[in-house]
Amino acid sequence: EIVLAQSPGTLSLSPGERATLSCRASQSVSSTYLAWYQQKPGQAPRLLIYGASSRATGIPDRFSGSGSGADFTLTISRLEPEDVAVYYCQHYGNSPPEHTFGQGTKLEIK
Amino acid sequence: QVQLVQSGAEVKKPGASVKVSCKASGYTFTSDQMHWVRQAPGQGLEWMGIINPSSGSTTYAQKLQGRVTMTRDTSTSTVYMVLNSLRSEDTAVYYCAKGLIVAVAWGQGTLVTVSS
């Protein structure tokens, strides 16, 4: 079973700064099956990044994903107040099909 | 556009069962899989299982095996999730989410509260 560990637990930055969120898998995974979601307070999660680095429809280019093997990163350049949310990485395992989520990184804007 | 509309909040007693529905629109219902994900208060996301609306085949999270059942009704484009033998730790918001490798669209969530 794949375990995803996200760091840091909480990130507090100022508007305009760059945020770097980490997701580490317990073993090497295919980047095809690594995604990132944003969950704003009181809302359902929203898909941000799929295939480790492809932005979902309507996602601003301030959001970017990278990584391979067991280490993946979500970068948010030029933070805006609306980016306050919890960010989750997720892995899809296909035999049998199952999803695993990281524990989340809470992003605060000072 | 894709819409997933879930049933309303539920309050159940320990030991009871709950049935949550998720009605899909804006796409061909049988063309994509549907997940169920839950989130306990103040906690992270927990994957519960997946159903193929075309075949009805299901895969459940090991932790919930034997307590959860997912079904679908193709005539109404609706998927259902039943959770039995409820306990306090099942108190959570339950989401349906469309997709296989990634969840590209989510329902609004259904709060299930288990309390005596």
Side-chain angles (χ1 to χ4, degrees):
Chain A
E1 179 192 341
I2 302 288
V3 176
L4 300 176
Q6 293 187 239
S7 62
T10 301
L11 191 56
S12 184
L13 295 168
S14 299
E17 288 192 303
R18 172 190 294 258
T20 302
L21 288 66
S22 172
C23 176
R24 176 162 291 178
S26 56
Q27 59 188 270
S28 182
V29 300
S30 169
S31 59
T32 299
Y33 299 137
L34 197 288
W36 291 90
Y37 298 83
Q38 176 193 62
Q39 186 177 32
K40 295 183 178 181
Q43 296 185 17
R46 175 175 72 149
L47 177 66
L48 288 178
I49 301 288
Y50 64 93
S53 60
S54 298
R55 273 186 300 278
T57 302
I59 302 303
D61 59 8
R62 302 185 293 107
F63 293 87
S64 64
S66 63
S68 63
D71 290 304
F72 298 89
T73 300
L74 173 69
T75 301
I76 312 171
S77 62
R78 307 182 307 278
L79 280 171
E80 297 185 3
E82 68 207 46
D83 298 332
V84 168
V86 179
Y87 293 83
Y88 295 95
C89 59
Q90 170 250 316
H91 174 260
Y92 167 75
N94 61 359
S95 184
E98 68 173 5
H99 278 227
T100 303
F101 290 95
Q103 81 279 19
T105 290
K106 184 177 182 180
L107 176 62
E108 300 175 340
I109 307 294
K110 294 176 185 175
Chain B
Q1 75 281 21
V2 173
Q3 273 199 306
L4 303 176
V5 179
Q6 298 184 221
S7 49
E10 303 264 12
V11 179
K12 296 292 183 181
K13 293 194 182 304
S17 298
V18 68
K19 186 174 186 177
V20 181
S21 68
C22 170
K23 183 174 176 58
S25 61
Y27 71 101
T28 302
F29 177 66
T30 52
S31 68
D32 212 348
Q33 316 238 358
M34 197 77 79
H35 303 266
W36 287 91
V37 176
R38 69 179 180 178
Q39 185 171 38
Q43 302 302 307
L45 302 171
E46 179 185 11
W47 183 77
M48 300 178 66
I50 187 171
I51 181 167
N52 182 330
S54 178
S55 65
S57 64
T58 55
T59 301
Y60 303 130
Q62 194 163 7
K63 173 183 175 181
L64 296 172
Q65 286 273 4
R67 284 211 299 141
V68 67
T69 304
M70 297 173 189
T71 59
R72 92 296 192 206
D73 182 342
T74 55
S75 68
T76 60
S77 298
T78 302
V79 295
Y80 300 93
M81 187 281 300
V82 173
L83 189 60
N84 300 314
S85 304
L86 289 168
R87 30 219 196 211
S88 59
E89 52 265 41
D90 294 318
T91 293
V93 175
Y94 289 75
Y95 294 101
C96 59
K98 169 188 175 298
L100 176 57
I101 297 174
V102 292
V104 298
W106 295 66
Q108 83 276 18
T110 296
L111 176 61
V112 175
T113 302
V114 183
S115 174
S116 54

